[in-house]
Amino acid sequence: MDLNKTFTYALKEGDNACRGVRVEVPLGSQSVTGFVDSVEESDLSLQQYSEKAGYQIREVIRVIDDEPILNEELYQLGLWMGHQTVSPNIACFQSMLPSKMKPRSNRKQSVVEYYVHLIDETRATSEKQKQAVELLRQGDVLRSDLNRAYPGISAILEKKGAVEIYGKEKTADVSELDIREADYDLTQQQVEAIEKINKSEKDVILLHGLTGSGKTEVYMQLAAQKCREGRQVLILVPEISLTPQMVTRMVSRFGHSIAIYHSKLNDQQRYEQYQLVRNHQVSIVVGTRSAIFMPFDNLGLIVLDEEHDHSYKQDSTPRYHCRDVAVHRAQYHHCKVILGSATPTLESYARAMKNVYELVELKNRIHQNLPSSHLVDMQSEIRRGNYIISAPLEKAIRNRLDNHQQAILLLNRRGYTTIMKCRKCGKIIQCPHCDIAMSYHKDENKLMCHTCGSEMSADMVCPDCGSNNWIHQGLGTQRLYEAIQEKFPEARILRMDADTTRKKNGHREILEAFERGEADILLGTQMIAKGLDYPNVTLVGIFNADALLGRTDYRSVEVTFDLIVQASGRSGRGHSAGEVYVQAYDCHHYGIRLAVRQDYLGFFKNEMEYRHIGDYPPYKYMIAICFASIDQQKARDLAWSASEQFREDETIRTLGPSQLTRIADEYRYRVVLKGANRDQLIETVWKWHDGLQINRGQMKIRIDVDPYVLD
Ligand code: ADP
Ligand code: ZN
Ligand code: ZN
C-alpha cells in the first residue's frame, strides 16, 4: 500500500505554481485540495502528454496560493516526519498548518491607508494651515493623524492644491522589541546555568531542576538574549489552560513581542497568530505541541518546558514527538534546544549521562527548601477505619483551615466511584462498546465510559440476575469531594476535573478563583499537578498514589513518579514551608518511596535496571503496530501474518500479537517490535507496509514509532 502516491495534473495557461503551493484538483468525481510536489515544463499539448503518460491528465481547477504556504524547510520537515512516523506526507502537512489555512482565507485582505504629501507650501494661508504644512515638511503624514491634530485640514489643503493625498497598502511593521527586566536579581545558580548553556557546544541541553528552582526565569533570560540578537524564540509548554500563570509571566515580560498559540484558540485566532510569526511581528511564541510548526525563518532558541509531559506526543496520525521535531528544526536553524524538567524522561536523562545532551542543573529551590513529605500506609489506616482520608492528612487539612492557608488534593480518577457492581452476582457494568468498566457519576446519576465517552442511566437492574442492589466501588473526585465536605463542613472546596471544566475557560475560572483565595481546597485530577504556583498553598495531599502502578505499561512507574514529584512541587512555593502527604497501599514500591523523597537520581538508577532487563527504551527502540477492526477475525489474521513476517528478521524482536481491550466496537491486536537501531526498525516497517494489500475501510492500522505508553 502506497501512502505517498502523487498525481499528475496540468496547469492552465497563465497559472503558476511551485512546490508547497496548494491547488484544487479533480479526483474522481470530487474536487480536493492537494500540495504541489514538483512542477515540470513541457512543450507537449495536454492531449499529447496524456497519450505519452497512458492516461487522461486533468487540469488543476485553481491554484490557491500565490506563494508556498510551506516554505522549503517546512516542506522538507513534513517529508522527514512522514518517513519517521511511517505516515502519509499529506497527514503531516495537514497537522503542520492551522486549519484556517483553507482556500479562501489566504486571499489577502489588504487594508489601504491614506497619506498626505506636501506639493506647494505657498498655498497655505491660515495660521493652522501653516502649522500643518510645517509638520508635512518633515515628511508625509497619515491623513487620520493630521486630521486628529487639525480637524478637517487635509481636505482644505487638498482643495487649495497645497497637498496631495495618496493611498498605500498597509503593511505589517516589524514590531520593535518589547522586553522588560525581571524585578529581582538572578540567583548564583541561575547565572551559572545560563553561562553553561551559552558556552555549551551541544545542540541539546537538559535543564534539570526541581519545581520552583527558577527554570522559567532561565528560559526568559535566554529568550531575551536571542531576541536582542534579532532571532526568534519558541517556548513550548504542555497545556496552556493548565498553566495560565506561565503565560501571564511571559506576557508581562515580553509584551507585544509575544504570540500565544494553543489548541483552545479558535481557527481565526490561530490563523492570526500564525501570520504574526510569518510577518515577523513577534519574536517569541509560547505554545503547545503544534506551535513547533510555526513558520519561523530565523530561530535562535527552542525550549521544551516539562519535557517529560506526554502531551508532546501526538496520539493520532502522524504520531510524532514534539521533541524530535524540535531537535530537527534546531539543526536547520543552528540553534539550541533546551529540555527542562524536574523529572526528565529516562530517554533524555540517559542521553545526558552519555554526553549526547549537556546536563545543566538547578539544585535548589528559590524561596524554600522542598516541602517535607510523608508517606501514609493506607492498609493500616483502613484497619483503623479511615477509608478515604488518613488521620495524618486529616490533621494537616484541619491545620491549614485554621491558619487560612490553602491545600491541593489530587486524585487521579474523576467520577464518583470507579465501578458499579451487582451485590448479588458480582457483575460489573461495562461499556457496551469497550471492554472497560463504566464509571459512576453521582451528580447526574449516570454511568460514563471514560474511554469512548458513551453514557447510560445508572437506574438499571442487573442484566444478568435482575437484582437492583448495587455496590459502588473505588474512589472518584465526586465522592472525595463529598467525603472532604462531610469532615470539614466549613471548608470551601473547588473541584477540577474533566466534568467541571467542560465549558470554555472552565479551567481558568476555577484556577483564578482559587488564586484569589475564594476556596481553601482545590481538589482534582492530574490536571492540577502541573505548573501551578500559588504561594499560599502549603499542603498537597495525593490519594491512591500507587493506583497507576497497577497498569501493565512499561512506563507506569515513571508516570507515577512524575505525578507525585510534580504534585508535591505545588506545596510551599511561597515563604511558608510546605507539606505533602502521599497515601498509598503499596508503600514499599521504589517508585513511590523515591518520589516521596524527591530522589530523581535514585529513581533513575532503579528504573534503568528494570528497563534494561525488559529491553525497553532507552535501551531499545520500539514500534507498536495496532490492528483494529469491527471484524475480529480480520484484525487477528492480519496481526498474525504481520508478526510472522517480522519474525523472519533476526535483528528485531517481535512480540505479540496481543489482544487489547475492545474500544468503540473495534477489536484490537497489537504487535510490538524492538530493536537497537531505530532507523532500521522504521525501514522494516515501511517495507512491510508498502507490500500490504488491505481494504482501508475495514481495517485500521495504527503505527506508533517510540510509543509513549503501551497499555
Ligand atoms: P520553575 O520554572 O523551575 O518551577 P520558576 O522560574 O517558576 O521556577 O521560579 C519559581 C518562583 O521563583 C517564581 O515565582 C519566580 O517568580 C521566582 N523567581 C525566579 N527566579 C528568581 C530570582 N532570581 N529571585 C527571586 N525570585 C525568583
Ligand atoms: Zn447481578
Ligand atoms: Zn466505551
PDB file of all heavy atoms in Angstrom, residues 421-429 461-470, ligand 2:
ATOM      1  N   LYS A 421     -21.095  -2.465  40.728  1.00  0.00           N
ATOM      2  CA  LYS A 421     -21.026  -3.926  40.774  1.00  0.00           C
ATOM      3  C   LYS A 421     -22.285  -4.487  41.422  1.00  0.00           C
ATOM      4  O   LYS A 421     -22.773  -3.941  42.414  1.00  0.00           O
ATOM      5  CB  LYS A 421     -19.797  -4.290  41.618  1.00  0.00           C
ATOM      6  CG  LYS A 421     -19.396  -5.735  41.605  1.00  0.00           C
ATOM      7  CD  LYS A 421     -18.011  -5.817  42.235  1.00  0.00           C
ATOM      8  CE  LYS A 421     -17.766  -7.154  42.881  1.00  0.00           C
ATOM      9  NZ  LYS A 421     -16.500  -7.160  43.617  1.00  0.00           N
ATOM     10  N   CYS A 422     -22.813  -5.585  40.858  1.00  0.00           N
ATOM     11  CA  CYS A 422     -24.021  -6.193  41.403  1.00  0.00           C
ATOM     12  C   CYS A 422     -23.687  -6.912  42.712  1.00  0.00           C
ATOM     13  O   CYS A 422     -22.783  -7.740  42.767  1.00  0.00           O
ATOM     14  CB  CYS A 422     -24.618  -7.178  40.393  1.00  0.00           C
ATOM     15  SG  CYS A 422     -26.001  -8.116  41.057  1.00  0.00           S
ATOM     16  N   ARG A 423     -24.445  -6.594  43.754  1.00  0.00           N
ATOM     17  CA  ARG A 423     -24.165  -7.184  45.051  1.00  0.00           C
ATOM     18  C   ARG A 423     -24.494  -8.673  45.065  1.00  0.00           C
ATOM     19  O   ARG A 423     -23.889  -9.456  45.785  1.00  0.00           O
ATOM     20  CB  ARG A 423     -25.001  -6.464  46.124  1.00  0.00           C
ATOM     21  CG  ARG A 423     -24.495  -6.654  47.548  1.00  0.00           C
ATOM     22  CD  ARG A 423     -25.376  -5.926  48.554  1.00  0.00           C
ATOM     23  NE  ARG A 423     -25.191  -4.481  48.554  1.00  0.00           N
ATOM     24  CZ  ARG A 423     -24.196  -3.862  49.204  1.00  0.00           C
ATOM     25  NH1 ARG A 423     -23.309  -4.548  49.885  1.00  0.00           N
ATOM     26  NH2 ARG A 423     -24.092  -2.557  49.158  1.00  0.00           N
ATOM     27  N   LYS A 424     -25.433  -9.064  44.219  1.00  0.00           N
ATOM     28  CA  LYS A 424     -25.893 -10.447  44.250  1.00  0.00           C
ATOM     29  C   LYS A 424     -24.990 -11.374  43.425  1.00  0.00           C
ATOM     30  O   LYS A 424     -24.512 -12.389  43.910  1.00  0.00           O
ATOM     31  CB  LYS A 424     -27.331 -10.490  43.704  1.00  0.00           C
ATOM     32  CG  LYS A 424     -28.107 -11.703  44.167  1.00  0.00           C
ATOM     33  CD  LYS A 424     -29.602 -11.481  43.963  1.00  0.00           C
ATOM     34  CE  LYS A 424     -30.294 -12.821  43.725  1.00  0.00           C
ATOM     35  NZ  LYS A 424     -31.480 -12.645  42.883  1.00  0.00           N
ATOM     36  N   CYS A 425     -24.731 -10.983  42.154  1.00  0.00           N
ATOM     37  CA  CYS A 425     -23.974 -11.908  41.303  1.00  0.00           C
ATOM     38  C   CYS A 425     -22.562 -11.417  40.970  1.00  0.00           C
ATOM     39  O   CYS A 425     -21.789 -12.114  40.337  1.00  0.00           O
ATOM     40  CB  CYS A 425     -24.737 -12.217  40.014  1.00  0.00           C
ATOM     41  SG  CYS A 425     -24.693 -10.879  38.806  1.00  0.00           S
ATOM     42  N   GLY A 426     -22.226 -10.190  41.386  1.00  0.00           N
ATOM     43  CA  GLY A 426     -20.860  -9.715  41.162  1.00  0.00           C
ATOM     44  C   GLY A 426     -20.608  -9.118  39.787  1.00  0.00           C
ATOM     45  O   GLY A 426     -19.483  -8.740  39.459  1.00  0.00           O
ATOM     46  N   LYS A 427     -21.652  -8.998  38.984  1.00  0.00           N
ATOM     47  CA  LYS A 427     -21.460  -8.426  37.644  1.00  0.00           C
ATOM     48  C   LYS A 427     -21.010  -6.963  37.724  1.00  0.00           C
ATOM     49  O   LYS A 427     -21.568  -6.171  38.484  1.00  0.00           O
ATOM     50  CB  LYS A 427     -22.766  -8.509  36.855  1.00  0.00           C
ATOM     51  CG  LYS A 427     -22.748  -7.639  35.616  1.00  0.00           C
ATOM     52  CD  LYS A 427     -23.340  -8.296  34.406  1.00  0.00           C
ATOM     53  CE  LYS A 427     -23.135  -7.443  33.177  1.00  0.00           C
ATOM     54  NZ  LYS A 427     -22.356  -8.112  32.154  1.00  0.00           N
ATOM     55  N   ILE A 428     -20.008  -6.620  36.919  1.00  0.00           N
ATOM     56  CA  ILE A 428     -19.552  -5.231  36.829  1.00  0.00           C
ATOM     57  C   ILE A 428     -20.075  -4.656  35.516  1.00  0.00           C
ATOM     58  O   ILE A 428     -19.948  -5.289  34.470  1.00  0.00           O
ATOM     59  CB  ILE A 428     -18.013  -5.164  36.859  1.00  0.00           C
ATOM     60  CG1 ILE A 428     -17.513  -5.591  38.246  1.00  0.00           C
ATOM     61  CG2 ILE A 428     -17.523  -3.759  36.529  1.00  0.00           C
ATOM     62  CD1 ILE A 428     -16.033  -5.824  38.323  1.00  0.00           C
ATOM     63  N   ILE A 429     -20.696  -3.500  35.591  1.00  0.00           N
ATOM     64  CA  ILE A 429     -21.259  -2.928  34.355  1.00  0.00           C
ATOM     65  C   ILE A 429     -20.137  -2.369  33.488  1.00  0.00           C
ATOM     66  O   ILE A 429     -19.366  -1.517  33.907  1.00  0.00           O
ATOM     67  CB  ILE A 429     -22.277  -1.808  34.672  1.00  0.00           C
ATOM     68  CG1 ILE A 429     -23.430  -2.365  35.504  1.00  0.00           C
ATOM     69  CG2 ILE A 429     -22.808  -1.184  33.388  1.00  0.00           C
ATOM     70  CD1 ILE A 429     -24.243  -3.432  34.816  1.00  0.00           C
ATOM     71  N   VAL A 461     -31.485  -2.507  36.391  1.00  0.00           N
ATOM     72  CA  VAL A 461     -31.376  -3.750  37.153  1.00  0.00           C
ATOM     73  C   VAL A 461     -30.240  -4.538  36.535  1.00  0.00           C
ATOM     74  O   VAL A 461     -29.862  -4.310  35.384  1.00  0.00           O
ATOM     75  CB  VAL A 461     -32.682  -4.583  37.111  1.00  0.00           C
ATOM     76  CG1 VAL A 461     -33.797  -3.858  37.838  1.00  0.00           C
ATOM     77  CG2 VAL A 461     -33.064  -4.891  35.672  1.00  0.00           C
ATOM     78  N   CYS A 462     -29.672  -5.436  37.284  1.00  0.00           N
ATOM     79  CA  CYS A 462     -28.538  -6.203  36.782  1.00  0.00           C
ATOM     80  C   CYS A 462     -28.960  -7.001  35.548  1.00  0.00           C
ATOM     81  O   CYS A 462     -29.934  -7.755  35.594  1.00  0.00           O
ATOM     82  CB  CYS A 462     -28.029  -7.150  37.870  1.00  0.00           C
ATOM     83  SG  CYS A 462     -26.747  -8.254  37.258  1.00  0.00           S
ATOM     84  N   PRO A 463     -28.289  -6.833  34.447  1.00  0.00           N
ATOM     85  CA  PRO A 463     -28.672  -7.546  33.224  1.00  0.00           C
ATOM     86  C   PRO A 463     -28.505  -9.069  33.377  1.00  0.00           C
ATOM     87  O   PRO A 463     -29.117  -9.826  32.629  1.00  0.00           O
ATOM     88  CB  PRO A 463     -27.721  -6.989  32.163  1.00  0.00           C
ATOM     89  CG  PRO A 463     -26.615  -6.317  32.893  1.00  0.00           C
ATOM     90  CD  PRO A 463     -27.137  -5.935  34.239  1.00  0.00           C
ATOM     91  N   ASP A 464     -27.724  -9.514  34.337  1.00  0.00           N
ATOM     92  CA  ASP A 464     -27.523 -10.954  34.492  1.00  0.00           C
ATOM     93  C   ASP A 464     -28.510 -11.598  35.461  1.00  0.00           C
ATOM     94  O   ASP A 464     -29.007 -12.690  35.213  1.00  0.00           O
ATOM     95  CB  ASP A 464     -26.089 -11.246  34.971  1.00  0.00           C
ATOM     96  CG  ASP A 464     -25.083 -11.080  33.848  1.00  0.00           C
ATOM     97  OD1 ASP A 464     -25.506 -10.653  32.751  1.00  0.00           O
ATOM     98  OD2 ASP A 464     -23.885 -11.358  34.073  1.00  0.00           O
ATOM     99  N   CYS A 465     -28.799 -10.923  36.587  1.00  0.00           N
ATOM    100  CA  CYS A 465     -29.635 -11.591  37.593  1.00  0.00           C
ATOM    101  C   CYS A 465     -30.879 -10.785  37.967  1.00  0.00           C
ATOM    102  O   CYS A 465     -31.700 -11.244  38.759  1.00  0.00           O
ATOM    103  CB  CYS A 465     -28.819 -11.912  38.848  1.00  0.00           C
ATOM    104  SG  CYS A 465     -28.466 -10.455  39.851  1.00  0.00           S
ATOM    105  N   GLY A 466     -31.013  -9.587  37.425  1.00  0.00           N
ATOM    106  CA  GLY A 466     -32.230  -8.824  37.675  1.00  0.00           C
ATOM    107  C   GLY A 466     -32.263  -8.096  39.014  1.00  0.00           C
ATOM    108  O   GLY A 466     -33.219  -7.398  39.319  1.00  0.00           O
ATOM    109  N   SER A 467     -31.222  -8.230  39.799  1.00  0.00           N
ATOM    110  CA  SER A 467     -31.199  -7.544  41.090  1.00  0.00           C
ATOM    111  C   SER A 467     -30.969  -6.039  40.881  1.00  0.00           C
ATOM    112  O   SER A 467     -30.393  -5.633  39.878  1.00  0.00           O
ATOM    113  CB  SER A 467     -30.067  -8.133  41.948  1.00  0.00           C
ATOM    114  OG  SER A 467     -29.589  -7.161  42.843  1.00  0.00           O
ATOM    115  N   ASN A 468     -31.466  -5.223  41.835  1.00  0.00           N
ATOM    116  CA  ASN A 468     -31.130  -3.801  41.697  1.00  0.00           C
ATOM    117  C   ASN A 468     -30.357  -3.315  42.914  1.00  0.00           C
ATOM    118  O   ASN A 468     -30.445  -2.181  43.332  1.00  0.00           O
ATOM    119  CB  ASN A 468     -32.375  -2.952  41.443  1.00  0.00           C
ATOM    120  CG  ASN A 468     -33.322  -3.022  42.621  1.00  0.00           C
ATOM    121  OD1 ASN A 468     -33.073  -3.766  43.575  1.00  0.00           O
ATOM    122  ND2 ASN A 468     -34.393  -2.249  42.576  1.00  0.00           N
ATOM    123  N   ASN A 469     -29.600  -4.208  43.461  1.00  0.00           N
ATOM    124  CA  ASN A 469     -28.803  -3.907  44.635  1.00  0.00           C
ATOM    125  C   ASN A 469     -27.334  -3.741  44.210  1.00  0.00           C
ATOM    126  O   ASN A 469     -26.655  -4.710  43.910  1.00  0.00           O
ATOM    127  CB  ASN A 469     -28.965  -5.081  45.611  1.00  0.00           C
ATOM    128  CG  ASN A 469     -28.563  -4.681  47.011  1.00  0.00           C
ATOM    129  OD1 ASN A 469     -27.970  -3.613  47.198  1.00  0.00           O
ATOM    130  ND2 ASN A 469     -28.863  -5.531  47.979  1.00  0.00           N
ATOM    131  N   TRP A 470     -26.901  -2.485  44.161  1.00  0.00           N
ATOM    132  CA  TRP A 470     -25.573  -2.215  43.585  1.00  0.00           C
ATOM    133  C   TRP A 470     -24.549  -1.828  44.647  1.00  0.00           C
ATOM    134  O   TRP A 470     -24.886  -1.176  45.628  1.00  0.00           O
ATOM    135  CB  TRP A 470     -25.650  -1.073  42.565  1.00  0.00           C
ATOM    136  CG  TRP A 470     -26.503  -1.395  41.380  1.00  0.00           C
ATOM    137  CD1 TRP A 470     -27.770  -0.938  41.144  1.00  0.00           C
ATOM    138  CD2 TRP A 470     -26.146  -2.230  40.292  1.00  0.00           C
ATOM    139  NE1 TRP A 470     -28.236  -1.452  39.960  1.00  0.00           N
ATOM    140  CE2 TRP A 470     -27.247  -2.253  39.407  1.00  0.00           C
ATOM    141  CE3 TRP A 470     -25.019  -2.984  39.954  1.00  0.00           C
ATOM    142  CZ2 TRP A 470     -27.254  -2.981  38.223  1.00  0.00           C
ATOM    143  CZ3 TRP A 470     -25.027  -3.709  38.777  1.00  0.00           C
ATOM    144  CH2 TRP A 470     -26.141  -3.704  37.926  1.00  0.00           C
TER     145      TRP A 470
HETATM  146 ZN    ZN B   2     -26.412  -9.403  39.171  1.00  0.00          ZN
END
